[in-house]
Amino acid sequence: MLGRPSVGRRRLIDGIRWRVRTGAPWRDLPPEYGPWQTVYGLFRRWSAMVSGRRC
């Protein structure tokens, strides 16, 4: 398989929870949660879905 190994969905959600709890910038997300861009993308999609907006 090519590319980076995937990060489990649970770790991405934990990354979102860490960011919301600490209020730190997305770029300061610890590496154990995966790339900050991936975690932020999931957060944006979830946030848009909850508010009824399109991505």
Side-chain angles (χ1 to χ4, degrees), residues 38-52:
T38 304
V39 178
Y40 176 66
L42 177 64
F43 174 76
R44 280 199 53 188
R45 285 190 305 276
W46 175 77
S47 172
M49 186 177 62
V50 169
S51 67

Side-chain angles (χ1 to χ4, degrees), residues 12-54:
L12 296 176
I13 293 169
D14 287 345
I16 292 171
R17 292 176 63 231
W18 179 88
R19 195 291 183 173
V20 170
R21 185 175 62 245
T22 64
W26 285 105
R27 291 179 185 258
D28 291 344
L29 190 74
E32 67 251 22
Y33 300 120
W36 71 266
Q37 297 94 333
T38 304
V39 178
Y40 176 66
L42 177 64
F43 174 76
R44 280 199 53 188
R45 285 190 305 276
W46 175 77
S47 172
M49 186 177 62
V50 169
S51 67
R53 290 178 287 157
R54 299 189 98 182

